[in-house]
Amino acid sequence: MLLRKLVAPSILSADFANLEREIRDVTEAGADWVHVDVMDGHFVPNLTIGAPVVKSLRKMKDLYLDCHLMIEEPEKYVDDFLKAGANNITLHVESKGDILGLVREIQKAGCHAGITLRPRSPIETIFPYIPIVDLVLIMTVEPGFSGQSFMEDQVPKLATVRDMIERNRYKALIQVDGGVNEVSRPKLEDADVFVAGNFIFKNNYKQAIAALKGES
Ligand code: DX5
Ligand code: ZN
C-alpha cells in the first residue's frame, strides 16, 4: 500500500474549452495524475476523447496521463495510446480480444498497465491479472458517464483486492473510480488512487483534492 493517497481528477468533468488551464489548476491544487476517460459509443453508450487528445496533453511533460479505456476493441487502439505518450493504460476485462496479451504489450512498451471490471462483473474475473498489472481499478459506477451515484455494494471488492495484493506482495496499486466524494471517501481507505470528476471540478479544487487525500 502506498503511504500517501493519490488523486486523479477525471477530465471528463473539466471545461474542455480550457483544458490546459483546467489541468494546470488541478495540478497546482495537488492532483497527482490526470485521468482520461476514453469511450467509444459501443462498450458504453457515451463517446468521449481519444489518443489525439492524449498526444496534445503530453506536451505538458510532467503529467502522469492515466487512460481508462472503455472501448470494445482495445487491440485496435492501444498502440495509438502508447505512441501518444500515455503513462498508464487501464483495460476492461469485458472488452474483446486477448486482454492479457495487451497488458504484456503495454508493459513491454514501458507503460503501466491496469485492469478493471464493470460493477456487475464478479471480482474473480480479474484474479488472473492481479499478479501482473500495475493498477487494479474498482469501478463504483456503471462506466459511461460522470456525475453518477456511488455504488456502495462495490466496496467489498476493494478489500478483496487489497488482501490479495498484501498477502502476495504484488506491485499493483488500487484505484477507485465513480461517485468518489467526501461522503464516499471514508469507505475507500483500501484504495491508493482516487479518481473524481464532478466532486473536484464542481468544487474548490484544492479543498476537494485535500479531502480525498485525507488532509482536511
Ligand atoms: C465513468 C468514468 C469516471 C467518471 C468519474 O465511466 O470512468 O472516471 O468520469 O466521474 P465522477 O467522479 O463524477 O463519478
Ligand atoms: Zn474512469
Side-chain angles (χ1 to χ4, degrees):
M1 191 181 311
L2 281 184
L3 287 177
R4 70 187 186 93
K5 304 294 187 185
L6 304 182
V7 172
S10 161
I11 57 169
L12 197 52
S13 299
D15 174 7
F16 279 118
N18 294 292
L19 196 50
E20 183 177 5
R21 198 191 65 209
E22 288 275 64
I23 289 176
R24 288 198 197 287
D25 287 351
V26 284
T27 304
E28 271 171 33
D32 301 281
W33 296 1
V34 170
H35 185 79
V36 182
D37 284 307
V38 179
M39 306 185 190
D40 66 352
H42 295 283
F43 187 79
V44 290
N46 200 4
L47 193 60
T48 56
I49 52 178
V53 172
V54 173
K55 191 176 172 195
S56 299
L57 295 179
R58 188 67 285 160
K59 287 179 199 145
M60 290 185 261
K61 299 225 174 339
D62 294 337
L63 288 187
Y64 185 93
L65 293 166
D66 167 35
C67 302
H68 176 193
L69 268 48
M70 289 160 274
I71 63 179
E72 207 159 84
E73 298 183 88
E75 259 160 11
K76 285 189 179 166
Y77 301 98
V78 156
D79 212 35
D80 293 344
F81 283 90
L82 289 172
K83 287 195 183 116
N87 297 93
N88 177 72
I89 299 176
T90 295
L91 304 170
H92 268 267
V93 71
E94 305 89 356
S95 291
K96 288 183 183 159
D98 175 12
I99 302 300
L100 207 55
L102 276 183
V103 164
R104 294 212 170 91
E105 190 185 318
I106 291 166
Q107 291 175 326
K108 225 167 126 188
C111 181
H112 290 147
I115 191 74
T116 188
L117 71 174
R118 293 179 182 277
R120 63 170 169 272
S121 297
I123 191 68
E124 289 77 14
T125 57
I126 62 164
F127 280 178
Y129 299 85
I130 295 178
I132 310 163
V133 291
D134 301 284
L135 184 84
V136 176
L137 165 57
I138 301 299
M139 292 297 301
T140 42
V141 297
E142 184 59 41
F145 299 92
S146 58
Q148 303 182 77
S149 306
F150 179 74
M151 295 170 70
E152 190 154 355
D153 61 351
Q154 298 302 304
V155 172
K157 286 180 174 171
L158 286 167
T160 305
V161 175
R162 169 59 61 206
D163 183 56
M164 196 169 168
I165 289 175
E166 298 294 320
R167 259 189 303 115
N168 297 286
R169 299 183 182 207
Y170 295 143
K171 65 181 170 189
L173 295 181
I174 303 178
Q175 186 179 54
V176 61
D177 181 10
V180 175
N181 56 32
E182 83 273 45
V183 178
S184 51
R185 171 64 180 83
K187 298 164 188 144
L188 303 172
E189 209 37 48
D190 279 325
D192 299 297
V193 188
F194 300 90
V195 175
N198 272 19
F199 178 60
I200 293 173
F201 286 101
K202 294 203 184 314
N203 285 297
N204 175 290
Y205 299 171
K206 205 168 174 178
Q207 284 171 9
I209 291 168
L212 296 180
K213 289 192 178 191
E215 291 168 356
S216 63

